[in-house]
Amino acid sequence: MMNLFRFLLATTAFLAVRLNIAHTKEWWENGNYYQIYPRSFRDSNGDGIGDLNGITERLQYLKDIGFTAAWLSPIFKSPMIDFGYDISDFYAIHSEYGTMEDFKALVARAKQLDIRIILDFVPNHTSDECEWFEKSVNREPGYEDFYVWHNGTVDANGKRQPPSNWISAFRYSAWEWNEKRQQYYLHQFAIKQADLNFRNPLVVAKMKEVMRYWLDTGISGFRIDALPFMFEKAPDANGNFLDEPVIDDVSICPDPDDWCHLNHTYTLDQPESIEMVYQWRELVEQYRKQKGGEPRVLLTEAYTTFDNLMLYYGDGERNGSMVPFNFYFMNSLKNQSTAQEIVDIISRWMNSMPDGVLANWVLGNHDNPRYSTRLGVQRADLFTILLQTLPGNAVTYYGEEICMTDGKITWEQTVDPSGCNANPSNYESYSRDPCRTPYQWDASKNAGFSDADNTWLPVAGNYRTNNALAQLRAPKSHLQIFMKLIRLRKLRSLQDGPLKIKAIGNDIIIYSREAPGDAMYVIVLNLGAREQSLNINQHFDMGRQAEVITSSLQSAYNDGDILDPSKYMAEPYVGVVLVKI
Ligand code: GLC
C-alpha cells in the first residue's frame, strides 16, 4: 500500500504557480511542525497500540506531504496513567513503543528524509513509580526535597487535612498522603503524577541532564509540557502553603472538586516558570556551541495569559521559546467568531511579538477537540487555509491534514484520566479520548492503523470514507489542499511577505501576502452560510486576472481556474487562495 501512497503523492502534488523559493532560512523557520501521538499513529506489531517502528515506517508519508519536523508526545517508560505524561524513567523507551534501537532507527530514518524529530519533555512531574520518587519517599540523601512534600494540617477535630485547598487539573485535591513518608505530596495532575520541586537546584540540574541526554541522540529539540504548573508559590514564614481563592462567580464552576472552581494564584504562572524556559534556551544554545550542528528548538506548551505567551518568547534581554504554542489563537477562535474578531486575534499576535521572533499558529492537539469538530467540518479547509497561509510557523496535529473529526467514545471505552474522573453523564466535557483516536490510513480493518482485533481506542466511525489513501486518490480532497498549501508556504511571498488583513462585514476575511520579486497572493475566507459577491480589487490590486491555487473541498472553483478578481463570488464556508497573474 505504501507504494501506492508514494505514486499518488508523486503524481498529484504539483503546484501550478511560478516558483520563487525564499532565501535560505534556518531549518525551523516558517516550518510546519507535525504532532504525532505515538499511541495512535501506526501499530507495527499488531498489539493495538501505535509504536516507534510504525512511525518510522510512515515517515516517508510525512516527508511527501512536506512537513519540516515531527514532535512526538512522550515515548518514555511509563505506567501510562496519563498515556506517557507520567514518566517512570526519563532515560528509557516505553516497552509498548519499542526499544532504544527502534528509537535510533527512527532518528536515522528521519535524518535520511530530512525531517527533524522533536521529543516531548515533561519537567513538571514524574510517575510515582519513578526511582526518584521512591528515593524521595525514603528520604535518601539528595532526594529528600525532590518533590513537594508537606505534613498537612490538623482540623478542629484533630483530623489530618491536606496542606491547602489546591485542586488537581484532573479533579479533587492536589495533595496525596504517602503512608511511608508520613507526608502529603503535591500532584497537579493525576495522583500518580507527583510534582517535582523546581525550587530544588538538584531537580533543575537533573532535568537539564535529561535534556542533554536526548539531545545526544540527535534530536532537534523539545516540546516542553505543562509549563505554567512548574512552580508553586513558596510556603509562607510558617512553612504553610496558602489556600487559593474561590473564583468570583461560582455559577461558572460550582463544583468545589473541579479545578475551575479556584483562581490558581499560587499554583499557576509563577514568574519562575518563564525564567526556567530562558535557562533551557541557554542550554540548547550552549549545546550547539559545544557540539556544533544546526539550531535545536524549543516549543512550549502554556495555557496562560497573552502577555505571558509573549514573555515565553523572551523578555528583551533573554531568549526563550522559539515556538510558544499560540493557544491564544486556538482558544479565542470560536464557532461563532466574526471575521473582525478573527482578524483582531491574528493582528494582536502579529503586533505584540518581541523583535526577531516568528509567529506560530495552532488549532489543535491531543488535549482539545479537533478543529473540524469544533469549528465545523464544512469550514475545516477554510481554517486549514488560514493557518497555513499566515506568517511564521504552522503546527499540525496528526489527522488535521485529512480533516479527521473527533471519534465517539462511550463511557465504558473512556481511558483518559480526565474523563475517568468525571461521571457517565458529563465525561464528554472532560475526556480527551475523542481527539486521540487512531490515524485513518485507509478503508481496511482499523483504518490501516493496526491488525489487532482491539485497538487501544476505537477508530473513528467515518474512516471508510475519510482516510489518507482515499484522499490521495481523489483529485480534490482535504489532503490535496493541504499539500498544495504546504508547498505554497515555501514560496517567497508566503515566507517573507507582510500580512495585510481585514474583515469585510461579519463573514469575510481577506488578506494578501506579497514579497518583492514574487507574485501577490490573496486569500479570501467566507465564514458564513451566505454567498457574497466581492470586488477584490477594492482591497488588493489584483488587476484583471487571478488564478485559483487551491480552495475548500466543496468549492466550485478548481485549481488553475482563471477568474476576474473584480467579480469574485465568495461561496459559503469556503476559503480560496488566489495568485495575481
Ligand atoms: C500537558 C499534556 C497533557 C497532560 C498534562 C500533564 O498538558 O499536554 O496531555 O495530561 O500536561 O502532563
Side-chain angles (χ1 to χ4, degrees), residues 124 147-150 163-166 174-175 186 188 195-200 227-245 263-273:
N124 180 65
Y147 295 83
V148 184
W149 294 102
H150 197 275
S164 68
N165 70 344
W166 298 353
W175 295 102
L186 178 71
Q188 295 224 55
D195 268 53
L196 284 164
N197 174 16
F198 264 86
R199 297 195 184 278
N200 178 349
L227 282 163
F229 296 85
M230 286 229 307
F231 282 83
E232 296 72 40
K233 183 112 192 133
D236 68 6
N238 303 320
N240 292 323
F241 290 108
L242 301 179
D243 279 354
E244 291 188 326
N263 259 334
H264 300 285
T265 41
Y266 301 138
T267 53
L268 269 190
D269 290 333
Q270 306 302 304
E272 292 91 334
S273 304

Side-chain angles (χ1 to χ4, degrees), residues 26-28 32-34 59 62-63 67-72 106-107 110-111 113-119 218-221 294-297:
E26 293 286 10
W27 71 266
W28 65 272
N32 199 315
Y33 296 82
Y34 190 75
L59 282 175
L62 297 189
K63 176 68 184 174
F67 291 107
T68 314
W71 79 261
L72 275 47
L106 187 159
V107 173
K111 279 234 149 68
L113 292 170
D114 205 27
I115 292 189
R116 272 66 178 186
I117 297 297
I118 295 168
L119 290 184
I219 61 160
S220 299
E294 47 184 35
R296 285 27 170 225
V297 290

Side-chain angles (χ1 to χ4, degrees), residues 82 85 122 125 170 189 193 223 225-226 301 303 366-367 432 436:
D82 192 17
Y85 285 96
V122 185
H125 44 265
F170 294 158
F189 293 91
Q193 289 169 298
R223 173 266 187 192
D225 183 70
E301 188 220 26
Y303 295 89
H366 64 293
D367 294 325
R432 298 166 296 177
R436 298 174 176 179

Side-chain angles (χ1 to χ4, degrees), residues 329-401:
F329 184 62
M330 179 170 77
N331 287 342
S332 315
L333 242 67
K334 305 280 183 225
N335 206 4
Q336 62 285 2
S337 296
T338 64
Q340 189 60 55
E341 282 163 358
I342 295 178
V343 168
D344 290 345
I345 292 163
I346 294 166
S347 307
R348 185 171 181 208
W349 190 277
M350 292 303 297
N351 298 334
S352 310
M353 290 182 293
D355 289 342
V357 303
L358 285 175
N360 78 83
W361 310 97
V362 185
L363 279 178
N365 57 35
H366 64 293
D367 294 325
N368 289 282
R370 290 180 174 277
Y371 69 80
S372 43
T373 299
R374 216 170 60 229
L375 303 171
V377 178
Q378 72 277 42
R379 299 195 302 181
D381 296 322
L382 179 155
F383 286 109
T384 302
I385 290 172
L386 172 64
L387 193 145
Q388 299 295 337
T389 54
L390 290 173
N393 288 308
V395 182
T396 300
Y397 179 51
Y398 84 95
E400 286 177 355
E401 72 283 10

